[in-house]
Amino acid sequence: MAGRRVALKAIDWVAFAERIPPNQKSMFNALKTRSDAISAKLTSLPETPAAIDWSYYKSAVAKAGMVDEFEKKFKALQIPEPVDTQTSTINAQEAEANKSASAYIEGSKARIVQYEKELDKFKNMIPFDQMTIEDLNNTFPETKLDKVKHPYWPHKPIAEL
Amino acid sequence: MNPKQLILASNIQTHLCLQRHLLVTFFKTGALLCSRDVSRGFLVYPPSLRLFAEGHAEAETRLPSGATTRHFHPSNMLSRLVLVSASSLKGSGALGAGLIQASRSLHTSSQSLAPVPPLPEKGGKVRHGIIPEELFQLLYPKTGVTGPYMLGVGLLTYILSKEIYVINHETFAAASIGAVFIYGVKKFGPSVAAFADKLNEDKVAKAQEVKDLAMTSLAQAIEDEKKEQWRAEGRSVLFDAKRNNVAMLLETNYRERLHMVTNEVKRRLDYQIALQNLHRQMEQEHMVSWVEKSVISSITPQQEKESIAKCITDLKALAKATQAKATA
């Protein structure tokens, strides 16, 4: 009966719950209930089973040697620890998630840079009542009238007027 | 080409030269009367129109050199088309003012300013709707307040008396048209100006709205991205939870195995003990019943009769004893 204990990391469920996006809340709830069930089951079992009173049995059982034999075998018994098959997959999952998360964060940072650039453009824009048409076309390229494609006024399809 | 035609041509030229001056002032004053929006460059009057008005100022400085040409400028045609008011002859002194106003954007420097500085909110000040204030300021030091008026009256008198301007049927036509025009402008001018202003305001407001919306949505998008990054940071907790779960399951399994082993061993030992007990119990019972049976079978009938008689005498004695105790 070798007692071994892998240190369980304390998990702050409250902080974890704050971070999850709303579309994954159901998954989080499922995980939490599962984890709670498992930990409840664990705590319900005592760590070591009740010890067997060998002396009583030795005195009670008439058959000679049986109790001794049992005792010897029992003490020599090594219960194999269950094999851990999942931790490696979990670690692999974690590595993959880290990779995708860092890629996402990179993309997010690039998006933030782009947004900041556009925001600066808006902030540093000259006010509308001091713009000319050229300034307007420079600031908002989509307002530029294509005079080559539509050479005649109003330089855009009638439907877009 | 005889001299008469020449004189006629030159007369027409100078007449048209005057008309061109009047065109400039007409444009400016008309613009100033009808709309206050001289400053909103791109909205009512695009820069091209501004330059057109200004370009005319250049044209009039250029023209005196070409006054002897006999063929007509295209701008002459235009001025003839547009100009109908002989009444604005009175404002011939507006020539100087037109030039003064044009000086702001006469591209005197080689490089144009960028961004374009905003146009003034209001046009130049005018008196009586046509005559620029600068004329009055110009003449004030020499002739005081009534100077320009005297100039105007004098000029008018001169023109009429010398028949430089001949009163004919068209004079009355022009006067009536002028009256109606002035009445119309005075009555409907402000509302038309307000309407035009409102159009521009709407355009600017729409553009401003678009800009504000864009800015708020961008700021919101930045906030959301940051929040998502924060969220993504918490991913390690998930895997910790999973590993914890796995560890707990393993531990549970192990303990269950321990318990199972102990319980099984105990059960077997208890079984042995129970078996032993059962054995002994059965032996005991069997022995007891055998003893009883043998005893019962060993009782002879004689013994039985004697034992029954003895029992009866004992009972009688006992009854007598209890009776005596009861009466005592």
Side-chain angles (χ1 to χ4, degrees), chain B residues 38-56:
Chain B
V38 191
S39 61
R40 314 292 168 91
F42 79 100
L43 295 167
V44 173
Y45 290 112
S48 51
L49 191 59
R50 201 160 31 96
L51 288 173
F52 174 72
E54 251 65 73
H56 241 81

Side-chain angles (χ1 to χ4, degrees), chain A residues 19 98 101 105, chain B residues 226-237:
Chain A
R19 287 205 196 223
N98 279 347
I105 288 180
Chain B
K226 290 208 174 108
K227 188 135 198 267
E228 289 302 312
Q229 282 184 16
W230 174 75
R231 281 215 175 114
E233 282 172 16
R235 64 189 177 277
S236 60
V237 183

